Amino acid sequence: MIPILYLALPTLGSYIMLSFFFLRRPHLLHTTRAPTFPIRLAAHRGGSGERLENTMEAIENSMAQRADILELDCQLTRDGVVVVSHDKNLSRQSGLNKDVDSLDFQELPLYKTELEIYFSPGHFAHGSDRHMIRLEDIFQKFPRIPAIVEIKEKNEELIHKVANLARSFDRSEITIWASEKNSIMRKCKAANPDMPMAFTILRSIWILLLYYLGLLPFVSIPEKFFLCFLPTIINRTYFPFSCGWMNQLSAAVTKWIIMRKSLIQYLQDRGVQVLFWCLNEESDFEVAFNLGANGVMTDFPTALRHYLDKKEEPKPPASSI
């Protein structure tokens, strides 16, 4: 037993020292990747707190606030049109209990006159534009505005149409694949490998595990975006579980795991941009940027723009007495 300890303890000590050394100096093992486009303000569902979600009016409003990127969810209609819609079923958005893929594009209903803002419970968005739009419409009107396109289902036709739209508008490098599931992300990457990827849920957990085990410096990271909820919004504006104590537990655990400046800095040093979602209050903006996040995803682009402009105002020189 003693000889094994003599061997194991120095080995463990060397491993810990080596991991710590490379966690602090990632450039020694990996080429630093500068972001193709820096992100500070990301408009969730096109900016769904100030206008009706995923409408052209909402997106134009976000562009007026100089949003750096749009976050969009896509579905496929029966006649093969890629539309921007968070839900597959249209009940919440329009009151019609039908799925998007059961209707042709021209048959899609109007949005309701008001929609509750998911991450600001009890608050509602309104707008004069109630029309669902095609992904192609956004690419035509804003050809150089980056977009996060989330794919929620393993629909190969949808995936390939999104991939081809990014190619045909010559915007693969600024159109980001996002999905919660590894199986869907693999198909997305195969359909258009030039589009950068965000972490899936399992990949996020795996990367966090490797980080705390000290193994992350020795593993490649193909993703370029870490899109993560801010743990402090759980039980306030985000309720992932129906049970209150589960929300409290998840808030405590994820706060300890995720809200670490050293983790965020390491990911950034490896060329990964870190965005926290979905934050709608100035106090949460402050927490996210104090942690070192690259950007914030919000339903209220005007509020975040005011916060950023205020933070970036030059401070008056100190008066000399």
Side-chain angles (χ1 to χ4, degrees):
M1 185 65 179
I2 299 299
I4 293 177
L5 288 176
Y6 278 130
L7 179 63
L9 289 177
T11 302
L12 180 61
S14 299
Y15 159 70
I16 292 172
M17 291 176 61
L18 196 63
S19 295
F20 185 82
F21 178 81
F22 284 116
L23 278 170
R24 294 294 180 271
R25 300 165 181 82
H27 63 280
L28 295 178
L29 293 178
H30 305 278
T31 302
T32 301
R33 299 181 301 183
T36 306
F37 47 91
I39 299 172
R40 300 286 279 171
L41 194 168
H44 180 242
R45 301 187 195 179
S48 61
E50 298 174 6
R51 301 292 189 275
L52 294 176
E53 64 184 59
N54 293 322
T55 59
M56 191 60 75
E57 184 181 33
I59 292 168
E60 289 171 345
N61 177 66
S62 294
M63 292 299 98
Q65 301 306 320
R66 309 195 308 279
D68 300 304
I69 194 166
L70 301 169
E71 187 274 338
L72 310 167
D73 307 275
C74 288
Q75 309 284 344
L76 196 67
T77 62
R78 183 172 58 193
D79 54 345
V81 177
V82 180
V83 293
V84 182
S85 173
H86 181 271
D87 300 355
K88 180 178 181 178
N89 185 275
L90 295 164
S91 294
R92 177 189 65 86
Q93 299 170 178
S94 71
L96 179 66
N97 186 21
K98 287 192 174 183
D99 290 348
V100 172
D101 61 6
S102 70
L103 299 170
D104 291 344
F105 177 69
Q106 295 298 332
E107 298 173 333
L108 293 174
L110 297 175
Y111 283 114
K112 295 177 181 177
T113 55
E114 66 174 19
L115 292 173
E116 186 172 18
I117 304 160
Y118 184 81
F119 289 98
S120 292
H123 295 80
F124 293 83
H126 305 81
S128 57
D129 181 6
R130 297 169 56 199
H131 294 86
M132 296 180 68
I133 56 176
R134 304 177 302 168
L135 183 63
E136 183 176 357
D137 297 329
I138 299 172
F139 286 178
Q140 284 179 340
K141 190 156 190 176
F142 304 103
R144 301 314 302 166
I145 297 300
I148 300 166
V149 177
E150 182 170 357
I151 307 295
K152 296 183 178 296
E153 293 188 339
K154 196 184 293 185
N155 183 327
E156 296 203 28
E157 183 183 0
L158 170 62
I159 291 169
H160 281 279
K161 288 201 169 187
V162 170
N164 290 334
L165 279 171
R167 284 195 192 93
S168 63
F169 283 91
D170 192 25
R171 50 169 296 130
S172 291
E173 76 285 357
I174 60 169
T175 307
I176 301 159
W177 287 123
S179 181
E180 293 183 349
K181 300 178 181 178
N182 281 1
S183 58
I184 296 176
M185 185 59 77
R186 283 193 292 269
K187 292 185 178 297
C188 290
K189 193 61 178 175
N192 189 336
D194 294 326
M195 290 170 59
M197 296 182 296
F199 283 92
T200 62
I201 290 177
L202 282 179
R203 279 286 297 166
S204 298
I205 294 171
W206 179 240
I207 286 296
L208 290 170
L209 179 63
L210 292 176
Y211 176 79
Y212 285 106
L213 289 175
L215 295 171
L216 195 50
F218 314 108
V219 176
S220 65
I221 303 178
E223 295 90 350
K224 294 185 178 180
F225 298 90
F226 184 67
L227 313 177
C228 183
F229 67 90
L230 189 69
T232 54
I233 71 172
I234 296 178
N235 254 3
R236 289 196 298 111
T237 62
Y238 178 44
F239 303 89
F241 303 102
S242 57
C243 181
W245 71 265
M246 283 290 290
N247 285 321
Q248 292 175 358
L249 179 62
S250 64
V253 172
T254 54
K255 182 178 179 180
W256 185 85
I257 293 173
I258 296 171
M259 294 179 66
R260 293 184 177 272
K261 290 184 178 182
S262 57
L263 167 65
I264 293 170
Q265 182 63 58
Y266 181 80
L267 290 173
Q268 291 168 337
D269 289 341
R270 292 286 300 271
V272 176
Q273 292 199 65
V274 178
L275 275 72
F276 283 113
W277 56 260
C278 180
L279 312 185
N280 292 334
E281 298 176 12
E282 185 169 313
S283 59
D284 293 320
F285 302 160
E286 189 79 10
V287 171
F289 285 114
N290 283 343
L291 282 171
N294 294 86
V296 160
M297 191 180 296
T298 184
D299 292 310
F300 294 91
T302 301
L304 181 51
R305 173 49 57 198
H306 287 168
Y307 170 84
L308 291 172
D309 288 349
K310 184 170 61 177
K311 293 288 285 187
E312 292 165 5
E313 285 178 359
K315 294 181 180 179
S319 58
S320 57
I321 299 177

